[in-house]
Each structure stands twice: as C-alpha cells, then as structure tokens.
Amino acid sequence: EDDTSVTPNNRDNTITHASIIAVAGGLAGQVQHVTSHFTEQLLALGEVNNFITSVDNSHNKMTIYQRLAQSASWPSWRSTMVAFPPSAIGFLAFEFGKFMLS
C-alpha cells in the first residue's frame, strides 16, 4: 500500500504534526521577542556606561548587569502575543514548503 495515500489516520497525523510545528514556532518567536527586548536595553546601558566611564572615573559605578537588573522592563503582553502568529506561520512554511514544491 502507498504510504502517501490520504487516510483518516494519516490526515490526523499530519494535522498533529503541523500543530506541533506551529506551536514550537510561535513559542520560539515569543522567546526571540523577549530576548531582543532585553538585549536592546543591555546595549543601550552599555553605551551609557562607556560614556560615564570616559567622562568621570572617580565614582563607584554599578556593573552594566546590575543596572540592567534594576532598570529592565519587560515587553508588553500584547507585543509578545503578537509575535506568535508570524513565527508559527514561518515555521510551517519552512517545514512544509519543501513538500509543496516537490
């Protein structure tokens, strides 16, 4: 029997597989969004820290990580949730695009 035939069991497996890939892609997009949010803050603090160090080196300064921990803000829930759909679609397109082209 041909393995590529469409049966109810095959269809269920394909839908399950696609759902798992979409969820993994969406979660990866959210993690990337939060990581880039903190990275932007870290880089901005690095620029400020370099400026302060070059201007006045006599004060006791916190490390850049201590400043980030004190002043970091989380991204909004809305922006984090909005990152889910495009990443999920991107993962699905990447995973299943090769099947549609062949």
Side-chain angles (χ1 to χ4, degrees):
E1 187 172 312
D2 187 13
D3 288 335
T4 60
S5 63
V6 178
T7 63
N9 192 25
N10 253 354
R11 190 174 313 132
D12 291 343
N13 286 339
T14 302
I15 291 171
T16 301
H17 185 69
S19 300
I20 290 169
I21 291 170
V23 169
L27 292 175
Q30 290 177 321
V31 168
Q32 186 276 331
H33 175 70
V34 171
T35 302
S36 68
H37 183 81
F38 284 116
T39 302
E40 289 171 1
Q41 293 178 50
L42 180 64
L43 291 175
L45 284 176
E47 292 170 6
V48 170
N49 192 39
N50 288 340
F51 175 74
I52 291 172
T53 303
S54 66
V55 171
D56 183 16
N57 203 7
S58 63
H59 292 93
N60 185 11
K61 295 170 193 61
M62 292 184 285
T63 67
I64 194 168
Y65 300 107
Q66 290 169 329
R67 288 184 189 191
L68 179 63
Q70 288 180 351
S71 65
S73 66
W74 287 85
S76 69
W77 283 107
R78 182 173 184 233
S79 69
T80 305
M81 291 299 127
V82 168
F84 190 96
S87 296
I89 292 168
F91 266 58
L92 284 172
F94 180 78
E95 183 69 22
F96 289 105
K98 60 185 173 188
F99 295 119
M100 293 184 184
L101 294 176
S102 60

